[in-house]
Amino acid sequence: MDFANVKYWEHPSKTNCVFVEKNDSPITSINFFCKAGVSFEEKNKVGLAHFLEHMIFKGSNSLEPGEFDLEIEKLGGYSNASTGYDDVHYYVDIPPGNLEEALYLLTNLVLFPNFNEKEFYLEKKVIIEEILQSQDQKDELIFNFFLESVWLDHPYAKSILGKEENINEIELIDLHHFHKKHYTPSNSCFAIAGKLPKNYLEIFKNCEL
């Protein structure tokens, strides 16, 4: 990598940003990282970080459930997310000319979620089904046994998905509190790579973070 093309910048909100300019790239990738993984869960809230990742996609203060994915697809892009032990990662791969619109959609979705009660109970069933399916996968069971044996009481010993009894005990207010506590400027970083418009810093400066 040509490190001369890497730029570090701090948004007025104090959110860290990293830009990697690659003008020959056919896409631009917008990545949002947040210190809100499994390691930051309370002991009796295992699976909360992953649950929140699912709920983030259920709408925001200006997006209805499912609208984010449709709008990103209209822009010719693709989006996804994952929860890890130390962080949660949301990203959008987009044609370079649609950076500004995609950035608005992603930041609005991630930072201003609308925790809909109906969607909460529907998604709880989805996550429990995901847990039950994982219990039929021998490699998953062996890997989780390995983590528990090595890490013992450390957060890395926990399952990212949690267990069915954990998910059943999670309430909607728990998602509110976890998001408010961890999805903050000081805990977050945007990493953007690909072909960037000349005014990309101005675009990010005007973004509500």
Side-chain angles (χ1 to χ4, degrees):
M1 178 186 291
D2 183 359
F3 287 97
N5 293 334
V6 180
K7 182 179 181 65
Y8 299 91
W9 180 76
E10 185 178 83
H11 186 270
S13 67
K14 303 303 180 183
T15 303
N16 289 317
C17 299
V18 182
F19 301 95
V20 181
E21 196 163 5
K22 291 283 291 181
N23 288 324
D24 58 346
S25 175
I27 64 168
T28 298
S29 184
I30 310 170
N31 299 268
F32 174 81
F33 295 93
C34 184
K35 294 178 183 178
V38 178
S39 298
F40 299 93
E41 297 170 340
E42 297 176 15
K43 284 189 175 182
N44 62 337
K45 303 293 181 183
V46 181
L48 180 60
H50 177 251
F51 198 156
L52 178 56
E53 178 217 312
H54 276 235
M55 283 298 296
I56 288 290
F57 285 93
K58 299 303 176 180
S60 68
N61 60 7
S62 64
L63 293 166
E64 294 296 322
E67 186 178 1
F68 172 80
D69 290 326
L70 289 175
E71 291 301 317
I72 292 297
E73 288 174 7
K74 286 180 185 177
L75 294 173
Y78 171 80
S79 63
N80 212 333
S82 62
T83 300
Y85 284 96
D86 297 310
D87 73 310
V88 61
H89 172 211
Y90 302 83
Y91 70 90
V92 173
D93 292 337
I94 202 81
N98 295 330
L99 169 67
E100 186 169 3
E101 296 92 333
L103 177 65
Y104 166 76
L105 289 167
L106 181 61
T107 54
N108 183 260
L109 184 84
V110 172
L111 299 178
F112 304 100
N114 176 25
F115 296 113
N116 181 284
E117 187 172 12
K118 179 182 177 181
E119 295 292 336
F120 168 73
Y121 287 108
L122 289 173
E123 203 59 33
K124 180 176 282 198
K125 293 179 182 178
V126 170
I127 292 172
I128 289 174
E129 182 61 31
E130 190 176 347
I131 291 169
L132 295 177
Q133 288 177 0
S134 73
Q135 292 173 355
D136 290 331
Q137 299 176 22
K138 292 182 180 180
D139 56 340
E140 282 282 329
L141 295 174
I142 292 170
F143 181 65
N144 286 330
F145 176 76
F146 169 77
L147 291 177
E148 292 173 1
S149 301
V150 171
W151 290 106
L152 303 177
D153 291 330
H154 191 278
Y156 288 1
K158 298 191 292 184
S159 165
I160 289 175
L161 297 179
K163 297 180 180 179
E164 184 175 357
E165 56 266 31
N166 301 138
I167 303 303
N168 279 326
E169 291 179 1
I170 290 175
E171 302 292 341
L172 191 59
I173 193 65
D174 296 321
L175 300 177
H176 279 280
H177 289 162
F178 194 80
H179 185 273
K180 184 177 181 180
K181 182 177 180 179
H182 297 291
Y183 282 60
T184 63
S186 61
N187 270 355
S188 304
C189 176
F190 275 93
I192 300 87
K195 186 175 182 180
L196 304 175
K198 291 182 179 179
N199 65 332
Y200 70 88
L201 284 182
E202 192 65 28
I203 290 172
F204 269 83
K205 189 174 182 179
N206 293 332
C207 199
E208 187 178 0
L209 302 181

